[in-house]
Amino acid sequence: MNTNISLIAYLSRVNASDSDTGLNKEFRFSIADGDLAGQFSVDPHTGDLFVAKPLDREKSEMYVLTIRATNIGKFSAKSVLPSILVYMLMLSNNSCV
């Protein structure tokens, strides 16, 4: 992860599924924990996870995000909470990935 990112950078996609049909198989995604500084964002409809603000490896080499996937079915809204690890690797003295 380049610490000089000025635009939103795509990280990954969180997936959730069930065997229902129609609206009962759709999910909404949100960050439930691990993003105290608002440095990450998740698209509520697709589950796409992004870096929204620059990350500082000197403050944290790793981020553990908990993503909530909530089934929006009519009869019972259920949530699952997978964790995602974001590691920052040093490429040189001036940049990280």
Side-chain angles (χ1 to χ4, degrees), residues 59-80:
K59 289 183 180 178
S60 181
E61 293 181 3
M62 179 181 69
Y63 297 86
V64 180
L65 303 175
T66 303
I67 307 298
R68 175 177 284 119
T70 302
N71 183 291
I72 61 167
K74 293 180 183 180
F75 302 108
S76 63
K78 296 181 182 175
S79 294
V80 292

Side-chain angles (χ1 to χ4, degrees), residues 13-94:
R13 175 172 282 182
V14 178
N15 292 303
S17 65
D18 70 19
S19 59
D20 290 338
T21 60
L23 286 177
N24 291 326
K25 73 174 189 174
E26 291 187 27
F27 286 82
R28 293 297 177 259
F29 300 91
S30 61
I31 298 174
D33 194 25
D35 187 27
L36 299 176
Q39 294 172 292
F40 300 91
S41 66
V42 65
D43 183 298
H45 301 284
T46 65
D48 288 345
L49 182 63
F50 299 92
V51 173
K53 294 181 181 177
L55 303 176
D56 186 344
R57 187 176 187 271
E58 292 180 7
K59 289 183 180 178
S60 181
E61 293 181 3
M62 179 181 69
Y63 297 86
V64 180
L65 303 175
T66 303
I67 307 298
R68 175 177 284 119
T70 302
N71 183 291
I72 61 167
K74 293 180 183 180
F75 302 108
S76 63
K78 296 181 182 175
S79 294
V80 292
L81 299 170
S83 293
I84 298 191
L85 300 175
V86 177
Y87 290 98
M88 295 180 62
L89 304 174
M90 191 65 119
L91 289 179
S92 70
N93 289 338
N94 298 320

